Amino acid sequence: MTDISAIEKPRSQWSDVWSQFKTHKGAVAALTVFVLLILFVTVGPFIWTADPTYINPDAAQMIRTRNKPPSWDFPLGTDQLGRDMLARMMKGGQVSIAVGLVAMTISILLGTLVGVTAGYFRRLDGPLMRLTDLFLALPLLPLLLVMVMLFRDPLSRTLGPEGGTFLLIVFAIGVTSWMQAARIVRGEVLALKEREFVLAARSIGTPSRRMILRHILPNVVSPIMVSATLGIASAIITESALSFLGLGFPPDFPTWGRLLFDGVDYIQQYPERVIWPGVAISLTVLSVNYIGDGLRDALDPRIRGR
Amino acid sequence: MKLKTALLGAAATLAFAPAAFAERGADGNVNVLYSQAVSIMNAYLSSGTKDVEVGSLVLEPLAGFDQDGNVIPRLVTEIPSVENGGISEDLTTITWKLTPGLLWSDGTPVTAADAVFSYEYCTHPEGGCAQAARYEGIEKVEALDDLTVKITWTGPKPNPFTAFVGATSPILQAAQFANCLGTAAPTCTEQNFRPIGTGPFMVTDFKVNDVVELAANPNYRDPAKPAFATMTVKGGGDAAGAARAVMETGEFDYAWNTQINPELQAQMEAGGQGKFVSAFGTLVERIEMNMTDPSPDLPEGERSTAMHPHPMLSDIRVRKALSMAIDRSLLVEVGYGNAGRPTCNLVPAPAQFASPNTDCIAQDMEGAKALLDEAGWVAGADGMRAKDGVPMKLLYQTSVNPVRQDFQALIKGWWNELGVEVELKSVDGGVFFGGDPGSPDTFQKFYADVEMYANNFDGTDPEPYLAQYLCDKAPSPANGWQGENINRYCDPAYDALVAELASTREPEKRSEIAIRLNEMLTKDSYVIVPLVDRGRLSAHSNTLGGVVLNTWDSELWNASDWFRIK
């Protein structure tokens, strides 16, 4: 009698990746932190229901609740107008994380597309890389300012001031930050193209589309992951810079970047005002970086299983 | 009369004995910090306050203003008036008499020719003089003799204290600047950086946008002044850093324009090293109501022009309700502390031109709601008001500035309570005040329903300031969006009264008309909703004596009287 249970279940690639990922302690911790942060900003507002823009209409009450240190009523304290910092942190996080993730996705998609095409098709290499150089040479902030100036009004009329600004900022950051990723990906693709397995695949007549999707892309995932993680960080920071210049979200719309800028004036008296958003931004960036690090190790077949 | 003056003089001498009998240069060095660095000493080539003020230590006008806005003599024996014959009966000429024996810091005598030269220097057709407005309406300036300067105006001039009065129109030494007229003016580096002056100090070293080293002028007209032998004016940093350098580290004796939040002010003052001094001029933070429709649905060129009146704000009841809902005292408390006070006036000073109106100070939310109901804007189920299906929604814009953003949030809160939906917008200050006709975000274009900023007027006479609100001064595509009538306010009665003011000479009548004009814009029409009368806030160390803050002239106007408290 053969013991069926002795035969191991076939292992899928993704379970391999996961078991490799689990061995990276930093990455697991980072994933936990990131999931907690996401829960904080998405589920949090349902538990802590204070309004992030509520200012007490009674002047005497408002004066009394200004600049409060953390307490049971206000777990993270209040700001200079008596608004609840915890609620503002949650609301701000929703926007900042969403901007970071979406802008990163756009820039990675664009960067990978340009990088792979340029690396794989020799005829397109020249024009695409010159386009990349062109974008790299453009001064980004002025370009963003022009884009915001031109498109903010029409967009906010159709999608509302917040929706329109979100789309605009995400798109603006996305289309101005794909160049690094494109260059790195192109380099990797150029090297991969000369490898024996690609030659073998080509010799049996694999079409370009399948070649890219099956053989090239999985092998360039690690550099893409790394630049993606860095992209989230810079997207959050660019958004705060735009908000600071008055070209981002409306001024009463909290984002982590804006909370940080608002807090700078009070850094000496109420350092927690800059610490909360500062810590939140750092944690997000750091955890995404670690997740990227773990993913890269896990996705690389040469490291996996060792 | 004589006896009384003599007695007063004696009393003053006794009161100021320690300072007055001090020897020139006995108190060593004084350190002054300007958070904007000085780039030139010649006020005629810079509109920057910092340049004008530091320049005023060296270059002086014939007369200046004291802390109450009164004209005081500097290089002249007395202030001309109709009574003493200095001003002609028809108000077309003014004659200044220079104090005999005045010397420049290089030892040569000051003459009337220097004043005539200064006039020619600033009004040279090829030169870009930043202070040309001080010399507007002058037909000719002549030197009757070595000590007499006569200015002839093109018409009657009720306020002749513009030319050669105040730090923005100083007297240059003709001998030094002779080759610097017209297009050569900016190229005269040596002259512009180290002018020879009559002021209490003279430049010994000048580093552009960094530091100015000065020493006491050996030929200053008062032999006992200044008490300090040298002065260092350092530039750079920001308001908070400047305040800290005086109030906490004690590196500097005086810091200019230390506008920081009230709590930080209190905290720094508690340290006991120095004091904040504030003085109130004419700077008023206000909300301007757009009388024309800024709707983006209108074609470009018709937006925010007189062709389309505003659908909500052209009703005075709406404007008044919006004003009544604001608690100005709270705004002051949050934003300015000691450096601000609530006001209902566009012209809060000088005293003779300020309206006694204080109706707006108390917040009246219920009254405001009743007024909106009366105007037909009725609250719906969600508490937001609408009329004929049109929701009451305002776009409220201002420049990027932490205090203004706090004000926006607070005022939005009150207006929401009133049932008005508010969308906030903040524009970078460089763009907002930049005046570029191509940008949709300038305060002149006013593509918003209400906007907030601060403005003031130069000198002590509000006539030109009030004349900004004439019908034909509204910005529009026709004049390239230039014009000071930001609200597009237009009232023929107002225009007529401004014309009357221009032709009125008696001081009492003038102040009466000016007060009336101010009220027409504020409490009669609520087109301009003043919020806060903003003072100037500077800091000085406890060891520096004699500081009197002045908002009508250079802040360093009495630096010759400063002394070290020992």
Side-chain angles (χ1 to χ4, degrees):
Chain A
M1 230 177 115
T2 44
D3 189 358
I4 299 169
S5 62
I7 303 172
E8 275 189 54
K9 274 202 283 177
R11 295 163 58 91
S12 79
Q13 188 195 357
W14 289 109
S15 68
D16 265 7
V17 169
W18 174 239
S19 57
Q20 173 66 32
F21 185 84
K22 276 192 296 190
T23 63
H24 194 305
K25 286 205 188 67
V28 175
L31 186 67
T32 323
V33 170
F34 192 63
V35 168
L36 283 177
L37 273 171
I38 303 249
L39 286 179
F40 171 70
V41 302
T42 50
V43 183
F46 293 101
I47 300 165
W48 185 257
T49 49
D51 180 354
T53 55
Y54 175 78
I55 301 173
N56 202 319
D58 180 354
Q61 286 285 342
M62 193 220 108
I63 292 283
R64 228 172 299 143
T65 54
R66 289 175 67 201
N67 298 319
K68 282 279 173 206
S71 65
W72 286 114
D73 289 340
F74 306 105
L76 295 186
T78 59
D79 73 357
Q80 74 278 9
L81 298 177
R83 293 175 290 201
D84 182 47
M85 280 301 281
L86 179 58
R88 289 175 77 71
M89 285 294 296
M90 290 184 205
K91 180 78 183 166
Q94 285 173 8
V95 183
S96 290
I97 291 182
V99 166
L101 290 177
V102 179
M104 178 272 288
T105 315
I106 295 178
S107 85
I108 287 306
L109 282 179
L110 266 175
T112 313
L113 182 74
V114 172
V116 169
T117 329
Y120 192 82
F121 303 104
R122 183 167 298 168
R123 259 181 305 139
L124 291 176
D125 191 15
L128 281 178
M129 280 301 108
R130 294 300 79 72
L131 179 77
T132 314
D133 291 344
L134 179 83
F135 265 85
L136 274 172
L138 284 177
L140 290 192
L141 208 53
L143 185 73
L144 284 175
L145 299 188
V146 171
M147 286 175 76
V148 171
M149 189 78 87
L150 287 179
F151 304 119
R152 181 170 56 183
D153 278 351
L155 274 175
S156 48
R157 223 176 308 152
T158 44
L159 297 166
E162 275 123 50
T165 317
F166 181 80
L167 195 72
L168 183 64
I169 288 188
V170 156
F171 184 73
I173 297 177
V175 299
T176 51
S177 57
W178 53 269
M179 295 81 72
Q180 312 291 351
R183 282 187 151 187
I184 296 166
V185 169
R186 169 182 171 268
E188 288 281 309
V189 172
L190 280 180
L192 278 173
K193 223 167 57 166
E194 307 302 324
R195 298 279 285 275
E196 290 80 0
F197 69 93
V198 175
L199 198 65
R202 186 174 292 150
S203 67
I204 57 169
T206 317
S208 297
R209 182 175 58 87
R210 191 157 315 139
M211 189 82 106
I212 290 171
L213 291 179
R214 272 206 74 82
H215 299 288
I216 306 278
L217 268 188
N219 283 292
V220 292
V221 162
S222 31
I224 293 178
M225 281 298 167
V226 175
S227 54
T229 52
L230 294 174
I232 292 188
S234 64
I236 291 180
I237 290 162
T238 312
E239 182 277 316
S240 30
L242 280 179
S243 294
F244 182 64
L245 289 173
L247 291 157
F249 293 95
D252 60 332
F253 196 77
T255 69
W256 282 346
R258 177 165 283 282
L259 290 180
L260 194 60
F261 278 125
D262 286 352
V264 167
D265 279 352
Y266 298 86
I267 191 166
Q268 202 187 9
Q269 301 142 283
Y270 310 104
E272 71 268 19
R273 202 77 67 68
V274 289
I275 291 175
W276 304 134
V279 164
I281 294 177
S282 316
L283 273 183
T284 314
V285 170
L286 207 62
S287 64
V288 174
N289 267 332
Y290 262 101
I291 294 172
D293 202 28
L295 264 185
R296 189 195 57 204
D297 291 0
L299 286 170
D300 191 335
R302 281 160 296 180
I303 299 178
R304 199 192 309 152
R306 258 193 266 158
Chain B
M1 185 67 200
K2 276 267 167 62
L3 182 67
K4 196 175 162 197
T5 320
L7 282 175
L8 270 177
T13 320
L14 279 175
F16 292 111
F21 294 140
E23 212 178 314
R24 172 178 294 162
D27 284 347
N29 185 49
V30 59
N31 285 313
V32 175
L33 182 59
Y34 266 63
S35 48
Q36 296 169 13
V38 180
S39 50
I40 196 164
M41 294 296 281
N42 182 353
Y44 289 123
L45 299 183
S46 170
S47 49
T49 312
K50 36 123 190 170
D51 298 330
V52 172
E53 294 197 346
V54 177
S56 76
L57 292 168
V58 177
L59 296 170
E60 287 182 303
L62 295 181
F65 295 100
D66 70 1
Q67 68 272 27
D68 301 318
N70 303 316
V71 183
I72 51 162
R74 281 188 184 276
L75 306 180
V76 290
T77 47
E78 61 176 357
I79 299 300
S81 65
V82 180
E83 288 75 38
N84 67 21
I87 299 176
S88 66
E89 280 295 330
D90 61 356
L91 305 186
T92 55
T93 69
I94 180 168
T95 310
W96 296 91
K97 292 243 182 263
L98 288 175
T99 312
L102 275 181
L103 295 179
W104 292 101
S105 58
D106 65 353
T108 55
V110 179
T111 66
D114 291 314
V116 176
F117 174 80
S118 304
Y119 164 71
E120 282 163 4
Y121 179 88
C122 188
T123 52
H124 195 282
E126 282 161 31
C129 178
Q131 315 296 352
R134 304 292 301 184
Y135 297 105
E136 239 166 59
I138 292 185
E139 192 185 300
K140 60 176 191 275
V141 177
E142 327 157 79
L144 298 185
D145 57 52
D146 264 4
L147 297 177
T148 316
V149 186
K150 183 178 171 195
I151 303 174
T152 311
W153 309 91
T154 47
K157 184 90 174 171
N159 174 33
F161 299 116
T162 55
F164 307 131
V165 183
T168 49
S169 57
I171 307 291
L172 302 177
Q173 192 194 40
Q176 193 191 15
F177 282 86
N179 297 322
C180 300
L181 286 167
T183 48
T187 60
C188 288
T189 318
E190 174 64 23
Q191 285 86 339
N192 291 334
F193 288 175
R194 295 159 191 264
I196 294 168
T198 53
F201 292 94
M202 55 186 206
V203 183
T204 53
D205 190 19
F206 187 91
K207 292 198 180 74
V208 185
N209 290 332
D210 182 18
V211 67
V212 190
E213 297 281 359
L214 302 116
N217 173 2
N219 295 316
Y220 189 59
R221 55 185 174 274
D222 185 336
K225 289 175 183 174
F228 289 102
T230 54
M231 180 186 264
T232 307
V233 181
K234 176 91 183 129
D238 58 8
R244 205 158 277 145
V246 171
M247 308 292 286
E248 285 180 350
T249 66
E251 294 163 81
F252 286 88
D253 298 300
Y254 187 89
W256 166 81
N257 195 7
T258 50
Q259 188 66 60
I260 51 174
N261 68 62
E263 276 186 70
L264 200 53
Q265 282 175 30
Q267 191 193 348
M268 283 188 183
E269 214 151 20
Q273 286 235 37
K275 270 200 245 354
F276 283 108
V277 279
S278 61
F280 291 89
T282 56
L283 188 64
V284 171
E285 185 87 23
R286 79 290 285 283
I287 288 182
E288 304 258 8
M289 304 268 176
N290 195 344
M291 302 296 282
T292 59
D293 193 354
S295 161
D297 301 330
L298 293 172
E300 196 61 30
E302 293 186 19
R303 251 182 114 176
S304 280
T305 62
M307 293 163 89
H308 304 274
H310 198 282
M312 281 168 255
L313 297 175
S314 33
D315 184 343
I316 181 176
R317 290 171 294 191
V318 175
R319 301 196 298 265
K320 186 173 180 188
L322 292 176
S323 168
M324 283 161 80
I326 297 172
D327 182 349
R328 288 163 174 81
S329 313
L330 185 66
L331 291 179
V332 170
E333 168 113 26
V334 169
Y336 295 102
N338 289 333
R341 50 191 184 194
T343 185
C344 303
N345 288 325
L346 179 66
V347 178
Q352 72 265 31
F353 293 114
S355 156
N357 170 33
T358 52
D359 299 351
C360 72
I361 304 284
Q363 186 189 22
D364 181 6
M365 193 58 85
E366 292 317 308
K369 283 180 180 165
L371 209 56
L372 283 184
D373 286 336
E374 187 195 315
W377 295 93
V378 193
D382 57 350
M384 290 301 158
R385 290 172 190 271
K387 182 177 178 178
D388 308 328
V390 183
M392 198 167 189
K393 192 167 185 297
L394 296 174
L395 176 61
Y396 174 8
Q397 74 176 12
T398 188
S399 70
V400 176
N401 168 320
V403 176
R404 293 212 167 111
Q405 263 72 76
D406 284 354
F407 277 23
Q408 274 188 315
L410 285 168
I411 292 173
K412 178 181 177 170
W414 291 318
W415 287 352
N416 280 345
E417 199 189 335
L418 205 56
V420 183
E421 239 181 287
V422 183
E423 185 193 324
L424 301 182
K425 183 174 167 185
S426 59
V427 184
D428 179 63
V431 176
F432 191 63
F433 298 113
D436 173 13
S439 164
D441 288 331
T442 61
F443 78 109
Q444 288 106 330
K445 262 200 179 165
F446 207 165
Y447 282 178
D449 301 296
V450 294
E451 67 184 1
M452 177 171 72
Y453 62 88
N455 201 357
N456 63 344
F457 59 91
D458 196 29
T460 52
D461 182 48
E463 186 194 323
Y465 189 52
L466 289 164
Q468 291 177 353
Y469 292 91
L470 296 175
C471 291
D472 62 355
K473 295 225 175 132
S476 72
N479 57 21
W481 299 102
Q482 302 306 313
E484 298 97 358
N485 185 356
I486 303 301
N487 329 71
R488 290 83 161 126
Y489 170 79
C490 188
D491 183 350
Y494 186 88
D495 286 19
L497 207 53
V498 169
E500 195 184 328
L501 179 64
S503 59
T504 306
R505 294 167 199 180
E506 305 77 46
E508 293 77 27
K509 193 89 181 56
R510 281 180 70 78
S511 45
E512 197 179 298
I513 297 175
I515 289 173
R516 194 66 220 108
L517 288 170
N518 167 54
E519 287 177 351
M520 283 174 87
L521 292 171
T522 55
K523 79 168 184 178
D524 292 3
S525 68
Y526 294 93
V527 168
I528 295 169
V529 175
L531 302 173
V532 180
D533 177 8
R534 284 172 51 186
R536 206 185 264 196
L537 187 74
S538 293
H540 72 87
S541 141
N542 280 341
T543 62
L544 182 67
V547 175
V548 178
L549 202 55
N550 183 342
T551 57
W552 307 106
D553 203 341
S554 163
E555 209 172 296
L556 305 175
W557 70 296
N558 74 336
S560 57
D561 300 340
W562 289 5
F563 59 95
R564 180 71 66 196
I565 298 171
K566 296 194 179 88

